[in-house]
Amino acid sequence: MIVLLGVLVVVLGFATKRNPLLVVGVAGIVTGLLGKLSVSQILATFGNGFASSRSVTIFAITLPVIGLLERNGLQAQARKVIARLSRLTTGRYLALYLLLRQLTAAVGLSTIAGPAQTVRPMVGPMAEAAAERRGKVAELPDRVREKVLSFSASADTVGLFFGEDCFLAVGSILLITSLVDASYHVNLEPVQLALWAIPIAACALVIHGARLLWFDRRLDRELAAAAAEAQPAAVTTTSEETAR
Amino acid sequence: MIRAEWFYWLVGLIFVVMAGQMAVDRSNPKRWGSAAFWGLLGLGFGYSSFVVSGHAPAQPLGVAVLVMVCLAGFGFTGRGQQRTTSEEERQRASDRLGGKLFLPALTIPVVAMVCAVLVKKVSIGGQPVLEKGSETILGLGIGAIIALVVGLIVVKERNPGVALHAGRGMLESMGWALFLPQLLSILGAVFTAAGVGDQVGKLVGHVLPHNDTFLAVVVYCVGMALFTVIMGNAFAAFPVMTAAVGWPILIQQMHGNAPCVLAVGMLAGFCGTLCTPMAANFNIVPAALLELKDRYGPIKAQLPTAGGLLVCCVGTISLFAF
């Protein structure tokens, strides 16, 4: 029972806003010691864990080319392109991206898009530009801009999470089959698991897609509110001019 | 055959080279700490090959991980001044280059797709060209390299060092958050080794009333989501909650359909991932990449969706697994 104190370390460390790396590191050591692992075993668990989890960190390989393109105006160009796609609103554009992200992840192509690969260089700036066009402003108010970018990130993440599990050779599916095999000696086929992910993937598309489409209306309200806040003086002047 | 390990070596090498750049960057007040952190990460990528193949002990790697945790956790890492272009220069460059700028960015997914679908089937002398099971990851790597070459040609840049410096700038702005997901996977391994799942199972067994299927499903799904929120990783929560509720109660005691319970249970965990800053690579890294002031912005955008989907997960298991 005492081994659960390790979980408590994570909760407390996080609740008190300590550095997450430190919290997780300490929780690992504490859990290992309480679970009566030797220091050498704990270090070996840390080492083996590192070696088998490297694939999580490899997206760093795309940083040089993305950095190079950004130096040369990739985001500026993305804004120009969306400026031409005048019929796509922020919500429709993000809903379309959500669908594409789900479909590509469902065929195992989960690494072709992501925050570094697509959201920062393309999806975010494009959604932002569409919102600027809708609000007829040169630059979005900070609060609205943050919301647009947050929803851009959410379209990517929801699309990935609820697409990739429909694929047979994805980590979560393989984790389930290997865990059941190792712990309970039962053989499950990956395809049985992937099939059950499809109804939830459809729910995700409906729920988040609808929220993205509704986001357009919310954007209108927020932009109107921001405009009213920013320019009460301008409005007064205009009405005075009309009066004269 | 192109092996996944080669690719890990390449990624490690890039980290080491960037660490070297950081070490000589006098604009970074914490240049030695930053260089040590990313250098250790890079060296760890290479050393891991020998750990995986069983030719080297894992303990030194464990020590390296703890050193990295201390370097970042006690604030020894920082960032230098970005050597980049001004907004006007970028505007001018985009006027000059136009749509061609998208070419290298789109090269990455296209090459990854070609590798995962077509090159996967190619074998030379009975040996597949790409290591089995790593085709998509290798496709990403090959795609990134080809994209870099295409990018250098498109922007007419002769010096690849410029790209490396630009990439390092992005690495520094993301900081140690880039390493958190890997550390969480490590925590999951420690939890399993220390038997956290068995203990939770005993606890839940005492509390849960027998033969209430719906309640057990709720406990499993909400438990997956909550544990994931705490640990930031559905993979780490899954062995714990499955040992506690999923397998002994839902599948053995109540004869639930195992694939349905487990697959949907994992997705209930993903609902938790959408809500937690502990899932740094999905929630905090994007906020950092997009340079948001509100680091929790993406989480706020995802919360209602996660809630709705958790209800869908409970419904799916309750209706179709029994």
Side-chain angles (χ1 to χ4, degrees):
Chain A
M1 202 59 75
I2 196 162
V3 74
L4 292 179
L5 287 175
V7 181
L8 199 65
V9 171
V10 182
V11 179
L12 285 181
F14 186 66
T16 53
K17 296 205 165 76
R18 310 273 169 196
N19 178 296
L21 282 194
L22 214 51
V23 171
V24 176
V26 170
I29 296 171
V30 169
T31 307
L33 289 175
L34 294 175
K36 299 201 172 61
L37 299 180
S38 71
V39 173
S40 165
Q41 281 171 318
I42 294 175
L43 289 177
T45 311
F46 269 76
N48 285 319
F50 179 92
S52 56
S53 61
R54 281 172 295 166
S55 59
V56 186
T57 311
I58 51 163
F59 74 92
I61 193 150
T62 61
L63 295 182
V65 62
I66 299 296
L68 178 74
L69 295 174
E70 291 198 354
R71 277 178 62 95
N72 287 283
L74 179 68
Q75 283 162 341
Q77 185 59 31
R79 284 158 202 265
K80 285 180 199 160
V81 169
I82 194 72
R84 280 182 225 134
L85 295 172
S86 56
R87 289 181 62 195
L88 274 186
T89 61
T90 303
R92 285 180 198 164
Y93 174 64
L94 290 180
L96 192 66
Y97 179 75
L98 170 73
L99 175 67
L100 288 175
R101 185 77 162 117
Q102 276 195 301
L103 289 176
T104 48
V107 292
L109 301 167
S110 53
T111 46
I112 65 167
Q117 296 97 313
T118 50
V119 179
R120 177 177 161 126
M122 273 187 271
V123 180
M126 284 193 178
E128 212 182 310
E132 284 165 4
R133 199 176 52 234
R134 193 177 176 89
K136 299 192 178 63
V137 288
E139 208 170 322
L140 293 177
D142 250 8
R143 197 163 43 102
V144 181
R145 185 175 168 273
E146 295 247 328
K147 285 218 174 90
V148 171
L149 291 178
S150 295
F151 269 89
S152 309
S154 79
D156 183 81
T157 309
V158 173
L160 169 68
F161 283 11
F162 297 94
E164 65 169 8
D165 260 38
C166 305
F167 184 59
L168 304 180
V170 75
S172 47
I173 296 289
L174 296 177
L175 176 75
I176 297 173
T177 52
S178 63
L179 179 100
V180 169
D181 196 357
S183 310
Y184 313 110
H185 311 291
V186 171
N187 186 28
L188 294 180
E189 284 294 319
V191 66
Q192 294 173 296
L193 295 157
L195 279 178
W196 281 106
I198 294 174
I200 307 292
C203 294
L205 180 66
V206 170
I207 294 176
H208 205 61
R211 290 191 58 227
L212 289 171
L213 293 175
W214 275 324
F215 181 65
D216 275 339
R217 290 192 203 169
R218 190 169 147 192
L219 204 57
D220 288 341
R221 277 202 310 275
E222 301 229 352
L223 281 168
E229 257 172 54
Q231 301 176 309
V235 174
T236 339
T237 337
T238 330
S239 57
E240 273 173 14
E241 276 168 9
T242 336
R244 253 182 265 147
Chain B
M1 177 165 83
I2 300 174
R3 293 176 179 281
E5 286 298 335
W6 298 355
F7 177 41
Y8 289 134
W9 275 80
L10 176 67
V11 176
L13 184 70
I14 291 175
F15 282 136
V16 170
V17 171
M18 287 181 177
Q21 293 177 329
M22 288 177 202
V24 296
D25 176 8
R26 288 181 190 280
S27 72
N28 184 349
K30 295 171 176 173
R31 59 189 172 124
W32 295 116
S34 307
F37 181 85
W38 295 107
L40 271 176
L41 182 63
L43 293 175
F45 261 64
Y47 185 82
S48 291
S49 292
F50 303 106
V51 174
V52 169
S53 66
H55 288 98
Q59 282 90 347
L61 198 54
V63 174
V65 170
L66 292 181
V67 172
M68 286 165 64
V69 166
C70 289
L71 280 171
F74 293 113
F76 289 106
T77 58
R79 54 191 288 191
Q81 258 168 12
Q82 305 267 347
R83 270 202 266 163
T84 188
T85 47
S86 70
E87 193 54 46
E88 293 83 59
E89 284 174 294
R90 291 181 179 201
Q91 211 42 264
R92 269 205 305 280
S94 82
D95 287 340
R96 182 165 48 89
L97 297 164
K100 274 192 287 184
L101 272 171
F102 289 119
L103 201 63
L106 291 173
T107 302
I108 302 176
V110 169
V111 173
M113 199 181 299
V114 168
C115 285
V117 176
L118 296 176
V119 184
K120 182 182 181 177
K121 293 179 189 145
V122 179
S123 41
I124 296 169
Q127 283 269 349
V129 175
L130 302 176
E131 185 175 343
K132 207 169 177 311
S134 305
E135 293 93 351
T136 318
I137 288 175
L138 283 170
L140 174 72
I142 296 167
I145 295 165
I146 296 177
L148 182 59
V149 175
V150 174
L152 290 169
I153 295 169
V154 164
V155 306
K156 299 196 177 67
E157 176 65 67
R158 295 232 174 104
N159 180 9
V162 173
L164 214 51
H165 271 290
R168 173 181 61 101
M170 292 182 75
L171 195 68
E172 282 182 346
S173 65
M174 293 166 79
W176 51 257
L178 192 134
F179 182 58
L180 186 58
Q182 232 184 313
L183 196 62
L184 279 161
S185 306
I186 296 171
L187 183 68
V190 176
F191 274 6
T192 308
V196 171
D198 303 339
Q199 294 301 327
V200 177
K202 281 184 196 156
L203 262 181
V204 174
H206 286 305
V207 180
L208 207 65
H210 284 283
N211 297 323
D212 189 338
T213 314
F214 180 71
L215 191 64
V217 173
V218 171
V219 168
Y220 182 54
C221 288
V222 176
M224 267 301 293
L226 283 182
F227 250 111
T228 304
V229 166
I230 294 170
M231 298 194 280
N233 194 329
F235 289 13
F238 187 76
V240 178
M241 283 312 294
T242 299
V245 189
W247 195 268
I249 297 173
L250 288 176
I251 294 171
Q252 283 192 313
Q253 198 183 316
M254 298 172 173
H255 307 291
N257 173 307
C260 175
V261 170
L262 299 176
V264 180
M266 177 66 91
L267 290 167
F270 284 12
C271 296
T273 317
L274 291 176
C275 311
T276 177
M278 292 298 281
N281 53 328
F282 297 115
N283 298 328
I284 304 296
V285 168
L289 272 171
L290 294 168
E291 288 160 23
L292 297 182
K293 287 193 203 88
D294 182 4
R295 294 244 153 165
Y296 298 119
I299 294 178
K300 287 175 190 160
Q302 285 155 196
L303 269 176
T305 301
L309 282 173
L310 190 56
V311 173
C312 293
C313 288
V314 172
T316 305
I317 299 185
S318 303
L319 291 176
F320 300 114
F322 299 96

